[in-house]
Amino acid sequence: MRVLFAAAEVNPFIKVGGLADVAGSLPKALAEAGCDVHLVMPHYATASWGQLPMRQWGSVYPPMGYGREEAEVFSAQLSPGLTLYAVANGAYFSRERPYGFPDDLRRFAFFSKAAYEIARLVEPDTVHANDWHTGLLPAYVKVFGCPCNPNTVITIHNLAFQGVGAWEDFVYSSLPWTEFNPDGAEFFGRFNMLKTGLVYSDAITAVSPTYAREIQTEEFGEGLHEVIAARAERVHGILNGIDYEEWDPAADKHIKAQFDVESLERKEANKAAMLAEFGLEHRHETPVFAFVGRLYEQKGVDIMVDSIEGLLREDAQFVILGQGSPQYEGALRRLAEANPGKVGVKLMFSNFLAHMVYAGADFFLMPSRFEPCGLGQMIAMRYGTIPIVRAVGGLRDSVQEPETGIVFWDYTERDLRHAIHRALALWRDSEGLLARRIRAMNADFSWGKSTQEYMKLYRLLSQEVK
Ligand code: NHF
């Protein structure tokens, strides 16, 4: 089974969010399970290619709405069955960050068209797009055809980003204007790249079963719930896994003391090392609550700051690692300044520190407003750190109270504070805490099961098409 998998970010080469983690680990797992995977990403000037032996694969010349452009393609064999293609174009990808430019729609229309040209040469059975950046790819396959007649899948990692522009921007797609209609690329008079992917794909997957249901409702649908609900029988929820090689407490090079379920007492050395990094004193008897992630509205930073303020009398420490909107960064900086010794904040992205925090914390906070899947809670569990999550999306599908974590329902400071109080009670019950940690560590979040689900879906769609 040959799959062309296209994504705008792939770990470890470039990462903005969780999409990179999935695009870095799912194709690898598919290849291990016997698929022939062709992974396509942009060749960003800021990507770290490390020692990767890249070779010039050739060039494709995607015809865009305004003429042909050149995409120079570099390629590398990442592992048996997994080939990487990096699409280069100086004007589009030699910039200081992957996204956030006025011409993003044009840049990713170009990237998707280049991926389509590569598909024509690679002849996959399935073309798998991810998020809005590659939303046009399934449309290219359907509208322009592909020699191998592949089926198409689009995975929604986050519906909040859709790649929306004015109707005039549709010209960048190079699709015929006949496709700019309510059943196609148009949405309320505008050009919507994610919606395009949703209507042209043979299947839509969401990164957790709960999110697959939620996005069909007004509350979580970001305006597209009716488009998705209209295709309900084509919507599948497949829970993400995490990369068990990268996230392995027994072999993690970034942490002070490696450990497993048999040697959980070694977590203490990681706690001490982490607290030192954050300028906090280490006290064995004080629980540490940690947050790692992007500081955006989605992640529940506002209720987290408020509930921490309501908990300052408790014997607890808080560690926060992440960067994002100036408003939340400011609120966290003030919280740390007002509470030295209690709250430690690092407003940055650091993979190294993230490993330390997952290993060293006692509890892991994920009070998200919405969460398509969420990876932090799974990583935390693997490191014996008890997650405190809101029951949305993949958080709901991966954490259970009292088995493996602490779960709250309402998006309020009060509910989160109560959840933290339950954590403090658990902290005082050392046997209960140990049992919960062990159950969390033994829960399986490897890619095994999900990989099989994707392959089943690819097979099903192949039978339909052929
Ligand atoms: O885990 C990867 C990630 C999800 O919930 C996460 C998100 C973005 O918001 O699928 O994508």
Side-chain angles (χ1 to χ4, degrees), residues 282-337:
H282 173 222
R283 287 191 304 269
H284 175 72
E285 64 289 356
T286 305
V288 175
F289 294 80
F291 173 95
V292 176
R294 289 170 292 127
L295 303 172
Y296 291 114
E297 210 197 331
Q298 171 192 349
K299 299 292 174 182
V301 190
D302 47 356
I303 61 169
M304 183 171 73
V305 171
D306 290 350
S307 59
I308 292 177
E309 275 171 346
L311 287 158
L312 290 168
R313 289 151 162 268
E314 302 290 341
D315 182 19
Q317 291 171 309
F318 298 90
V319 158
I320 290 142
L321 171 65
Q323 58 183 184
S325 77
Q327 171 202 351
Y328 295 132
E329 289 197 355
L332 288 166
R333 197 177 294 119
R334 285 190 293 279
L335 187 69
E337 279 163 9

Side-chain angles (χ1 to χ4, degrees), residues 17-23 131 155-159 161 207 211 240 294 298-299 366 368 370-378 394 447:
L19 167 62
D21 293 296
V22 175
D131 277 352
T155 295
I156 305 173
H157 298 264
N158 196 337
L159 203 55
F161 304 99
V207 288
Y211 194 55
N240 286 334
R294 289 170 292 127
Q298 171 192 349
K299 299 292 174 182
M366 272 186 95
S368 305
F370 69 94
E371 196 62 72
C373 176
L375 304 169
Q377 81 282 13
M378 297 184 191
W447 271 104

Side-chain angles (χ1 to χ4, degrees), residues 7 81-82 97 170 186 203 231 239-240 258 263 288 362 383 387 406 410 417 437:
L82 178 58
R97 55 178 190 275
F170 179 72
E186 184 262 7
R231 307 204 63 207
L239 193 70
N240 286 334
Q258 283 85 28
S263 55
V288 175
D362 297 301
Y383 283 74
I406 292 173
D410 289 342
R417 195 161 29 84
R437 279 191 166 155

